[in-house]
Amino acid sequence: VSRIDMKVFQNKPVVYLSTSPGAGGAASVLAAAVNSAPYFGADVKASLSIPSFFDNFNKETDAISNTELANALGDAIRLIS
């Protein structure tokens, strides 16, 4: 991000999500994003990594099929609502 004012999020609450087809769920990329968020003025309320995307997402319903992950996503969203 090339800006004079680096605080592009303007201290807004955010939830960061990541996913990948592997078991790691892009967790290392998510960690980098969460750790750099304060430099850009993001107020990270929650972050969630969804591993094994094709095993945990139902394309027919466009929803997370893993109950535990779906609940975690709902909890995260409620933190910014």
Side-chain angles (χ1 to χ4, degrees):
V1 177
S2 175
R3 303 245 181 220
I4 292 171
D5 181 8
M6 295 292 292
K7 306 289 185 186
V8 295
F9 288 100
Q10 301 175 357
N11 298 312
K12 300 257 192 288
V14 297
V15 172
Y16 280 9
L17 306 172
S18 71
T19 190
S20 74
S28 61
V29 174
L30 179 61
V34 168
N35 289 333
S36 66
Y39 298 104
F40 299 103
D43 179 14
V44 179
K45 296 297 186 182
S47 64
L48 178 64
S49 172
I50 308 286
S52 306
F53 178 79
F54 297 106
D55 295 332
N56 290 309
F57 189 80
N58 184 326
K59 288 198 267 185
E60 292 177 10
T61 61
D62 285 334
I64 296 173
S65 56
N66 179 304
T67 305
E68 184 177 320
L69 292 171
N71 289 340
L73 178 59
D75 291 344
I77 291 170
R78 279 188 283 285
L79 293 173
I80 61 170
S81 308

